[in-house]
Amino acid sequence: MTEAVQCYGRKKTATAVAHCKRGRGVIKINGSPIELVEPDVLKFKVYEPILILGKERFANVDIRVRVKGGGQVSQVYAIRQAIAKAIVAYYQKYVDEASKKEIKDLLVRYDRTLLVADPRRCEPKKFGGGGARARYQKSYR
């Protein structure tokens, strides 16, 4: 049986599922390498878990991420959360608890959203206005 864990990351309506198994340090997103993430401005956001923890922790695992829904920015945030959660889960299940705790502390100290989902959602539009909170202008004459 292969050593593998599945974890998901979410941001708004984007959902990323990371499948983490023992391997050679390959990280793919929707079948293409992590270097090809669009937009270029947010490439570092996807690399954050790897840069914080160091490449050696990812050297013996393969991570494949499937992502759908949301826009480009939401997908990037979902991907980074899925990668971070997957590496923590993998270390908890197949490596020792101490190294898992060390990884988790490093990630939380840097940015809590790497492990904890952001619960904010879009508020629905109501009648009597153009949006969720805005109202139509009122005139008295």
Side-chain angles (χ1 to χ4, degrees), residues 62-81:
D62 283 354
I63 300 176
R64 308 225 179 283
V65 186
R66 298 188 311 274
V67 62
K68 60 174 190 271
Q72 284 184 318
V73 176
S74 293
Q75 284 192 350
V76 164
Y77 276 87
I79 289 164
R80 73 199 270 268
Q81 189 181 34

Side-chain angles (χ1 to χ4, degrees), residues 18 22-24 27 29 36 48 53 59 78 80 104-105 118 125 136 141:
R22 199 167 37 188
R24 308 188 318 270
I27 299 176
I29 290 155
L36 302 177
E48 272 174 3
L53 301 175
R80 73 199 270 268
K104 200 169 175 179
D105 288 345
D118 186 351
K125 178 195 177 300
Y136 293 134
R141 304 167 208 197

Side-chain angles (χ1 to χ4, degrees), residues 40-68:
D40 278 339
V41 186
L42 292 167
K43 203 172 277 185
F44 264 99
K45 277 285 175 203
V46 179
Y47 278 120
E48 272 174 3
I50 301 147
L51 296 172
I52 296 160
L53 301 175
K55 280 209 166 45
E56 62 280 350
R57 287 209 174 93
F58 288 85
N60 56 357
V61 293
D62 283 354
I63 300 176
R64 308 225 179 283
V65 186
R66 298 188 311 274
V67 62
K68 60 174 190 271

Side-chain angles (χ1 to χ4, degrees), residues 75-101:
Q75 284 192 350
V76 164
Y77 276 87
I79 289 164
R80 73 199 270 268
Q81 189 181 34
I83 290 171
K85 281 167 81 169
I87 200 80
V88 168
Y90 182 86
Y91 269 73
Q92 181 175 20
K93 204 166 178 186
Y94 301 113
V95 195
D96 56 339
E97 190 68 29
S99 59
K100 170 246 166 181
K101 183 155 176 39

